[in-house]
Amino acid sequence: MSDYYNAFEISPVPTPGPDATPPEPFRGIYGMPAFVTIPTSDLAASVDFWTRGLGFINLFSIPGRLVHLRRWAFQDVLLVTAESVPAQPPAMSFSFACVLSQLDSLVEACRTLRPNSVDGPRDTPWNTRDVEVITPENARIIITAAKPFDPASQEARNLAAIGITPPDHLGHGDNEEHA
């Protein structure tokens, strides 16, 4: 028996490509394996930005205290009331996956709500296109979309240089040693 497990089977992130379709927001309840808690001094304004700008849904709320937001499965944010928020965004960021076809509309929606909130998009050496968003709470959020894998690209060479090769369904490669 192999210790290798194809984690793509449980991920809501679709295979990158020009026809990749994002999953619908996940409305089920589950034990959250990870989530981010963000303090806000204006819960209504924060919910508005996260839902209309970043595409989250209001899964449930405790009026005046907490709002549980979600996009895809395992993309959970808890907005909690606080007296104040940091004056500056932290160096740390939190990333959420999307598909390439969503990036332009997310950028436009965020810029419409908060004109100076978006930096990017920019392509990364690890084959994603990222947008940095500073939310009303001064949280630094990265919206990241995997680009289609091109085995002849510089990004593929960057990944191969550190021992990461594509799964068999994307090209030749064997990641068993990385599991």
Side-chain angles (χ1 to χ4, degrees), residues 37-50:
T37 301
I38 299 178
T40 177
S41 56
D42 188 340
L43 198 54
S46 293
V47 170
D48 185 58
F49 185 83
W50 283 82

Side-chain angles (χ1 to χ4, degrees), residues 140-161:
R140 185 179 309 275
I141 302 301
I142 306 298
I143 303 298
T144 183
K147 298 186 308 184
F149 186 78
D150 175 1
S153 69
Q154 181 59 50
E155 290 87 351
R157 289 188 292 280
N158 294 342
L159 294 170

Side-chain angles (χ1 to χ4, degrees), residues 24-68:
E24 291 296 317
F26 187 81
R27 298 177 186 277
I29 301 296
Y30 52 75
M32 297 183 298
F35 59 93
V36 61
T37 301
I38 299 178
T40 177
S41 56
D42 188 340
L43 198 54
S46 293
V47 170
D48 185 58
F49 185 83
W50 283 82
T51 56
R52 293 193 315 137
L54 293 170
F56 282 73
I57 61 167
N58 182 339
L59 188 63
F60 68 83
S61 60
I62 300 171
R65 301 203 44 210
L66 172 139
V67 175
H68 183 153

